[in-house]
Amino acid sequence: MRVLIKTSKWAIWARRLGSLALPLVVIPVFMHRQGLVESPVFLVLAAFAAAIAGLSVLCAMVALVRLWHTGDQGWGRALLGLLLGLICLAPFCWYGYLAWRYPPVTDMATVERGDLPLVFEPDTIAMPPPRLIAPDEQAEQFPNVTTRTYPLDVIQLFALVDRQVRDNGWDVRLRSEPLDYGQTGRINARILTLPGWREEAVLRVEPVAGGTKVDMRSASINAPHDFGSNGNRISDFLVALDAGVTTFMRDNPNINEPVPVEDEPSPEVQTGDGAGTEGD
């Protein structure tokens, strides 16, 4: 007599849901990055993908327990569904940790935000108001988000800032270069995060007594939470700029010293009849 061993339906559904969750996670991210879906739609799609991935893990866990007791087939399907579900849930767990780690903020700056205006607001539909935190909390969370002052002139410092922005691969949308030592330089650049959120960085290079100061603002255009990206972006940029200025001044120790003026030769002293010639 032939004994038929059935395949666990829980294992079958675990694999099906896991296989469905993977494209549901990847495709909306691609579409969001390309601007094919708006951010509210992306959030709904992401929540749906997380739910499917969670169901895949749940079905896989139930299947593994039942397979252990019944001896049915489906271990491979259950394990595959569990693996796919965990892979799809990993980014949600990571961003959940970031949401717990950082305060719910979408706009960070070293100075008042009115001094560093954004330029991308007009091309954003229904942009929500920025979420801010108190200065004390900002100083505690991001101690390096402060105005920097360097003993360089504005033209020298702007060149360093501009090079660092381009090295970071940011999309520069507005660039106002100072043409003399009394002007202020400004750069506005757009950054696209991995999930497709648009963010903007604003940099101002301004001459002050004894050198030049740099202020920076970073703001999320269409995200409900920046997950610490804006504060970390400013902090990382300014710390890297500190190192860049230090290296520049080390390699150019006389960069700010005045150029010595050579003494002009004194005119020849004429004697006698003013002709300066030998006697008769």
Side-chain angles (χ1 to χ4, degrees):
M1 179 178 178
R2 184 178 179 182
V3 179
L4 297 177
I5 302 176
K6 65 178 182 179
T7 302
S8 171
K9 293 183 178 179
W10 288 99
I12 294 174
W13 277 105
R15 189 191 65 175
R16 288 176 178 175
L17 292 172
S19 301
L20 178 62
L22 189 60
L24 286 178
V25 171
V26 174
I27 293 176
V29 171
F30 172 78
M31 296 178 67
H32 193 219
R33 289 179 58 88
Q34 297 298 319
L36 301 177
V37 295
E38 297 181 1
S39 296
V41 177
F42 170 72
L43 289 175
V44 173
L45 295 175
F48 181 70
I52 296 297
L55 286 175
S56 174
V57 173
L58 178 62
C59 289
M61 297 297 293
V62 174
L64 291 173
V65 173
R66 291 179 62 86
L67 290 173
W68 179 265
H69 291 285
T70 63
D72 292 342
Q73 293 181 347
W75 285 93
R77 291 181 175 90
L79 291 174
L80 180 59
L82 178 63
L83 177 62
L84 292 175
L86 291 176
I87 291 175
C88 294
L89 284 178
F92 296 98
C93 294
W94 171 247
Y95 280 98
Y97 163 75
L98 293 179
W100 170 81
R101 168 69 176 81
Y102 295 104
V105 61
T106 60
D107 198 331
M108 299 283 290
T110 60
V111 291
E112 293 294 331
R113 289 158 182 82
D115 297 335
L116 295 173
L118 304 177
V119 298
F120 301 138
E121 291 177 301
D123 64 5
T124 304
I125 300 176
M127 180 178 176
R131 306 179 70 176
L132 310 176
I133 57 176
D136 294 341
E137 187 177 1
Q138 176 176 312
E140 180 180 357
Q141 289 285 337
F142 303 100
N144 287 316
V145 179
T146 57
T147 301
R148 297 294 203 274
T149 302
Y150 303 103
L152 296 175
D153 64 55
V154 66
I155 296 177
Q156 295 166 346
L157 188 56
F158 183 86
L160 294 176
V161 170
D162 184 48
R163 183 176 64 183
Q164 187 169 312
V165 167
R166 297 185 183 280
D167 290 343
N168 287 343
W170 297 349
D171 182 12
V172 176
R173 297 296 184 89
L174 186 149
R175 183 178 180 274
S176 178
E177 181 179 359
L179 300 179
D180 61 50
Y181 299 112
Q183 292 184 346
T184 298
R186 178 182 165 188
I187 296 175
N188 285 64
R190 174 172 285 184
I191 300 97
L192 183 65
T193 64
L194 181 60
W197 304 113
R198 271 73 175 172
E199 297 180 342
E200 180 180 355
V202 189
L203 288 138
R204 183 183 63 188
V205 185
E206 183 179 10
V208 294
T212 307
K213 70 175 183 178
V214 177
D215 284 300
M216 185 172 179
R217 177 186 181 186
S218 184
S220 300
I221 302 301
N222 55 353
H225 195 308
D226 71 353
F227 304 102
S229 64
N230 290 305
N232 286 321
R233 179 176 299 114
I234 297 176
S235 180
D236 294 343
F237 187 92
L238 293 179
V239 169
L241 185 61
D242 292 341
V245 171
T246 301
T247 302
F248 178 78
M249 296 186 67
R250 181 196 63 196
D251 296 339
N252 302 273
N254 301 322
I255 191 66
N256 285 328
E257 293 185 4
V259 179
V261 179
E262 296 182 359
D263 295 334
E264 297 181 359
S266 57
E268 295 182 359
V269 179
Q270 297 180 351
T271 59
D273 296 333
T277 59
E278 296 182 358
D280 298 337

